[in-house]
Each structure stands twice: as C-alpha cells, then as structure tokens.
C-alpha cells in the first residue's frame, strides 16, 4: 500500500512539474466556463434549470475531452518508461510491478479528478455567483456528472495502460491510443446509428442495443448523465430515450467501473509477464 | 561455502539468442569482482537475472538467500544497482529523485543530502535532472545505488562518463563498502582501471564463462610471457644473444632499449643474466601481463576450442 502511494505521489509531483495538471485544469475550466455562458446566452434561460443545461453541455464536452486527456497521460506510462530506461531502475527496487501500475493509476486519476473537479466546479460556481437559482436536484445531478466523468477518465486511463503494457514502442502506443479515442468517441456511435437506420427496427432487439451501448464506456457515460435525472433529460432531448431505456443508472455505472477495472487487471497481467 | 550471490547452471535465451549459457559462480562477502567481456557477452543479462528483472530459462539464482524472481523484497532492500545507461525522469530535481528512491527503500529522508554530497552533486541538488550532464546523471545513479548500505552492489559500467576525480572517489567508496563486507560486482570495459581494484575477475565470451579467478591465478593459468625491458649501454645492443643467452622473443624498440618476452619459467633466468656483473644493462622494467592481454588470451583459447 505504501509503495502505491509513493509511486502515486511521484506521478503527481511530475504532473505538477511538467504542467500537465495546470494545462488540463485550465483547459477544462476555460471550456466549461465558455460553454456555461455561451450556452445560456442565446436562449436566455438563466432560470431555475440553468445548471441542467450546463450538465448537458458539459457532459458532451467530457465525452470528447476526458477520454483524450486520459489516453494522453496513460498511453506512455509503461512503454515510455521502458524506452527511456527508467523502468529498469524502478523495478530493481523493492516494489512489485502491480504496485507500480496501481501507483501510477492513483496518481494519474488524481490529476484528472483534480482538473475535472476544479474546472467544472468553476463553471457551477460562476453560475451560482451570477445569481442563477439552483435546486438540490440539479446539484445532485451535477455532482454525479462530475463523479461519472472521473469514472470515465479512469476507464480510459486503464485502457491506455493496457495498450502501453502490450506494445513495444511508444509511437505504436500513441497511434493505438488515438485510434481507440476515434473508435469509442466518434466511429462507434456513427456505426450504431447506421446499423439502426439500416435495420429499421426490424431485427435488432432492445436488449441487443443495450448491450451495444454498454460495450462503449462513452455511451454508458452519455446515457447515465443525459437520462439519469428527469430535469436533465428534458433538456437533452433524450426524454424519449430515457423513458424507453431499460438500463438503469446503476447498471451504467457498473459498466463504467468494469471498463476501468478489467483493462487495469489485464494491463497488470501483461506488465507482469513482460521482460525488460 | 555459500556466498551472497549464487548462480548455478544458469541459461538465458532470448528467442534464438543464447545470452547466458550454463554459467555458475558464487560471490562471497567482502569481495570486489570484475565482470568483463566483449559487447553482447552477457554481462548486463547476468545482472538483470540477479535482480529478478528477467527469469532464467533454466538454472537457479539466489541473492542474499532469496530467489530474485519470487518477488521477495527483503533482499532487494539490501541491494544496489546501477544500470549501464542510467536515466531518470527529467521533470524532478536531483534531490526529489533521490528522495523518491529512498522512500521505496524505506530509508529516512535525511539520508539523501549526505549521499548527494558524497557524489559531489550538492550544488545541483535543486536543479531538474533534465538539465544534468551525462556525468552528473551517472553520479546521481551512483548515489541511488548506494542508498541504504547495500550488502550487494551490482554496477554495470559504473565509471563511464565520470571525470578522473570522481572515478577515483568512486573506487574509494566501493572499497569502503567492500571493507564493510559488501559484495561488489562491477562490469567494465576499462580493464586497466579494474586491474588494481578487483580481487577477482570473471571473463565472459558469448554467454560462456571462460575464466574466473584472481588476477594472479589467471596469469598462472594463461602462462603469458612477462615483458622485460632493458636499457642497454654502449655496444651491448649489437650482440644481445651473447650476454643474454638464447631467448625466444626479443626486439629492439629504439637505440637503447630491448624488450624481451619471457615465458614464466624463463623469467628468473633472463633477469639473472640481465643483472649479471658483465651485462651492459643500465636499467630494467618488468611488466607482468595486463588484464587486457589476459582477456585477449582467454578469448582466443576459447574461440580455438569451439
Ligand atoms: N531483451 C532482449 N531481447 C533479445 N535479446 C537480448 C535482450 N537482452 C539482451 N539480448 C542479447 O543478449 C546478448 C547479451 O546481451 P548483454 O546486454 O547482456 O551484453 P553485455 O555483455 O552487457 O554487452 P555490453 O558490453 O555491450 O553492455 C546480446 O546478444 C543481446 O543482443
Ligand atoms: Mg551491458
């Protein structure tokens, strides 16, 4: 346990030093703040549900940005250190490989969580300061949006580690990471949509569709946030979907958690088998 | 007799490459052992095996009583390793880096500053490692290997990039640790440097251990000629065999000097003649075979035996 914290601490120290923490926090805060105020300007709805509008726009932002940031930090974690030669020295110390990996995970996730919390928190704070009325239900939805964003980040960090543990070269890891991002964030949904259009609701069952949605962490995240709260789904145009959805929030959360844990376990396995 | 490091019939294959073939040796406490061999001879591979970073294809290894791949950390805490191309994360400072490694070895934070001082990095302790010169990185590498009074030190080409002053103090540090009972294994290509420092030499060739012993033992086995240089006066140079008797190999190296290759059993005889009353000899030097020559000899005999 102590070794995990020692490694995590060093990751955070490095993140602070090479400005990763600063850059991601500023990026998320900047985008969140502009979405918050640009988003509410045209409709003029700085009303009771102002925060719900923000949740919708921020969760769309998260789907694009958080996986990208997570993969950027994580794809290099193992193969990069091996290529630079720092892993050789680290593993000669009294620390197990799974502890190194878990330590990195804790460190990277802390950086991402810090940036998300501060960046999105700034948007909600600014909204509250400008006098928008926000009820408890919206706050809960906002809180679970941040929590699930961090969980989405955890999933993509874990996927990044798995790539990093399997490939031989850093460049390959980078390429695969970008491919994974494109696949889950853009291509998957387009393909799914295409499938639905072609099928015309003839053969594909609802259960099959649900399974397809759970197989993509970004979709699980989207459904969780856009249909999770009645208030939010009204704004997201997902109200129809929300009524039909047979996936309840806890199933979606479990899918996200599985997307974090399974790749992390596989990455640990691949890493421990690797020769230096 | 058991040493701190025991290697028995170890074979390590990387695909088709046999990096280490059937090597056995034991390293006792309080000894400095030099591991020499050409590029790709298997020196680094042997050290990685001792650290448990790679698993032997067959054979057994024990370090401080533990199997290094079993994931027992007790032994590793008492082990110092300096990789051949040591590198650190560029973002942290020298003292932050060393503090990180100290925490992993459960060494107190206060052990960091004296170590940095010992390798002469105090002035750069607060600078990012990314700004260090190669020699400074090597010094930092040395400092981390010395954390926590190691019982076994594995140093892979430790003096590359070190300036002469630190090279000297490096060997002093090693000698001090050895004096306190540590086992020191160091690989190097700087054979002349090892000559006075290593009590024992292990020579590797293509993964096979071809020689193992003290420098004197190796000299005896190799039976290499000792070089004797004579500074000759007057006309002595003209008729060397007359006063020296029949010697196999001798040559002039300039107008005054003669060099003789004397086989071990002829050495004393040649010296007697050269120091005889009538011999026209003003001065002489006796140069025993160097480690370089021994090394070349053992490689050649092994190649011939293949
Ligand atoms: N991970 C690996 N995969 C494949 N082959 C390897 C690996 N590591 C080492 N080898 C091979 O094993 C042999 C021994 O390598 P090793 O690094 O032990 O040599 P060395 O004696 O340290 O050489 P040098 O003096 O150049 O440092 C070489 O032929 C090398 O190509
Ligand atoms: Mg080597």
């Amino acid at each position: 346990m102590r070794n995990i914290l020692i490694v995590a601490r060093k990751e955070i120290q490095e993140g602070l030093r090479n400005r990763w923490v600063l850059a991601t926090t500023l990026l998320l805060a900047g985008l969140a703040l502009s979405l918050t105020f640009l988003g509410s300007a045209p409709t003029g709805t700085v009303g009771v549900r102002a925060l719900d509008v923000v949740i919708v726009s921020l969760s769309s932002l998260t789907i694009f940005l958080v996986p990208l940031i997570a993969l950027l930090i994580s794809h290099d974690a193992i193969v990069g250190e091996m290529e630079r030669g720092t892993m050789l020295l680290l593993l000669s110390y009294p620390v197990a490989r799974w502890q190194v990996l878990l330590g990195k995970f804790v460190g990277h996730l802390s950086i991402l969580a810090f940036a998300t919390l501060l960046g999105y928190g700034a948007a909600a704070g600014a909204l509250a300061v400008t006098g928008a009325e926000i009820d408890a239900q919206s706050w809960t939805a906002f809180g679970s949006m941040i929590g699930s964003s961090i969980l989405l980040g955890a999933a993509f960090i874990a996927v990044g580690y798995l790539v990093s543990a399997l490939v031989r070269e850093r460049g390959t890891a980078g390429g695969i990471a970008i491919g994974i991002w494109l696949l889950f964030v853009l291509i998957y949904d387009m393909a799914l949509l295409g499938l639905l259009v072609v099928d015309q609701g003839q053969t594909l069952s609802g259960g099959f569709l649900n399974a397809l949605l759970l197989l993509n962490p970004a979709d699980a995240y989207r459904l969780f946030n856009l249909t999770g709260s009645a208030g939010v789904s009204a704004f997201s145009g997902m109200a129809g979907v929300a009524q039909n959805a047979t996936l309840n929030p806890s199933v979606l959360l479990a899918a996200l958690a599985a997307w974090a844990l399974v790749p992390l376990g596989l990455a640990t396995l691949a890493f421990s088998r690797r020769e230096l | 007799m058991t040493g701190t490091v025991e290697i028995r019939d170890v074979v390590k294959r990387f695909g088709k490459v046999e990096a280490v073939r059937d090597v056995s040796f034991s390293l006792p406490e309080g000894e400095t052992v030099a591991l020499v061999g050409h590029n790709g001879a298997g020196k680094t591979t042997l050290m990685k095996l001792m650290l448990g970073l790679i698993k032997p294809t067959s054979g057994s290894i024990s370090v401080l009583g533990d199997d290094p791949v079993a994931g027992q950390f007790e032994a590793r805490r008492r082990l110092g390793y300096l990789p051949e191309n040591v590198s650190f994360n560029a973002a942290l400072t020298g003292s932050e880096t060393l503090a990180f490694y100290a925490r992993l070895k459960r060494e107190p934070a206060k052990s960091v500053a004296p170590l940095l001082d010992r390798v002469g990095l105090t002035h750069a302790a607060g600078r990012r490692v990314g700004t260090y010169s190669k020699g400074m990185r090597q010094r930092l590498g040395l400092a981390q290997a010395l954390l926590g009074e190691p019982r076994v030190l594995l140093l892979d080409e430790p003096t590359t990039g070190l300036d002469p002053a630190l090279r000297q103090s490096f060997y002093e540090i090693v000698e001090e640790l050895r004096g306190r009972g540590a086992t020191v294994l160091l690989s190097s290509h700087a054979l002349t440097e090892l000559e006075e420092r290593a009590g024992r030499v292990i020579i590797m060739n293509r993964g096979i251990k071809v020689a193992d012993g003290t420098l004197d033992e190796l000299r005896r086995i190799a039976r290499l000629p000792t070089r004797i240089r004579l500074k000759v006066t007057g006309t002595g140079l003209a008729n060397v065999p007359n006063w020296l008797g029949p010697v196999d190999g001798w040559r002039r190296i300039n107008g005054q000097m003669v060099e003789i290759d004397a086989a071990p059993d002829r050495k004393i005889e040649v010296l007697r003649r050269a120091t005889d009353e009538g011999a026209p000899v003003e001065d002489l030097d006796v140069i025993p075979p160097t480690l370089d020559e021994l090394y070349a000899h053992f490689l050649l005999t092994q190649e011939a035996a293949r």
Side-chain angles (χ1 to χ4, degrees), chain A residues 2-3 6 9-10 13-14 17 84-86 88-97 99 275-276, chain B residues 12 14 48 53 55 73 76 81 83 87-89 91 93 96 100-101 103-106 144 147:
Chain A
R2 200 160 142 205
N3 281 340
I6 293 171
R9 176 177 160 182
K10 178 180 149 268
Q13 217 175 8
E14 275 172 25
R17 192 59 57 75
R84 283 190 294 272
T86 46
L88 187 67
L89 186 58
L90 181 56
L91 293 183
S92 78
Y93 273 75
V95 54
R97 295 192 181 191
Q99 291 173 327
E275 294 227 314
L276 284 167
Chain B
K12 177 66 194 175
F14 295 105
K48 286 184 182 173
L53 295 174
K55 290 190 189 73
F73 294 150
R76 280 200 190 179
Y81 173 50
S87 58
F88 300 99
N89 193 288
T93 68
E96 281 168 349
F100 166 67
Y101 289 115
R103 280 195 287 274
L104 283 178
K105 273 198 176 163
R106 307 286 187 268
Q144 64 77 30
L147 274 168

Side-chain angles (χ1 to χ4, degrees), chain A residues 52-163:
Chain A
D52 289 350
V53 179
V54 171
I55 292 173
V56 173
S57 46
L58 283 192
S59 47
S60 307
L61 175 69
T62 302
I63 287 176
F64 279 94
L65 217 51
V66 168
L68 190 64
I69 295 172
L71 287 168
L72 277 179
I73 332 183
S74 63
H75 80 272
D76 200 39
I78 296 168
V79 72
E81 284 222 33
M82 286 198 167
E83 224 165 79
R84 283 190 294 272
T86 46
M87 191 61 91
L88 187 67
L89 186 58
L90 181 56
L91 293 183
S92 78
Y93 273 75
V95 54
R97 295 192 181 191
W98 65 268
Q99 291 173 327
V100 170
L101 198 73
L102 229 55
K104 281 178 173 289
F105 185 72
V106 172
H108 286 154
L109 192 59
S110 310
I111 292 175
L112 196 69
F114 176 83
T116 314
L117 214 59
L118 219 66
Y120 289 3
L127 206 61
V129 167
T130 53
E133 269 183 62
I134 301 167
D135 60 18
Q137 198 197 1
S138 293
W139 276 122
T140 315
F142 188 73
S144 50
M145 190 273 288
I146 289 187
S148 59
S149 300
I150 295 169
L151 197 56
L152 181 70
F156 278 93
I157 289 175
V159 171
Y161 287 167
L162 181 57
V163 172

Side-chain angles (χ1 to χ4, degrees), chain A residues 275-276, chain B residues 14-15 17-19 37-46 48 84 156-157 189:
Chain A
E275 294 227 314
L276 284 167
Chain B
F14 295 105
V17 182
E18 265 197 312
H38 59 90
N39 294 126
K43 307 180 293 291
T44 301
T45 307
L46 270 174
K48 286 184 182 173
E84 58 186 332
D156 205 349
E157 303 185 24
H189 294 292

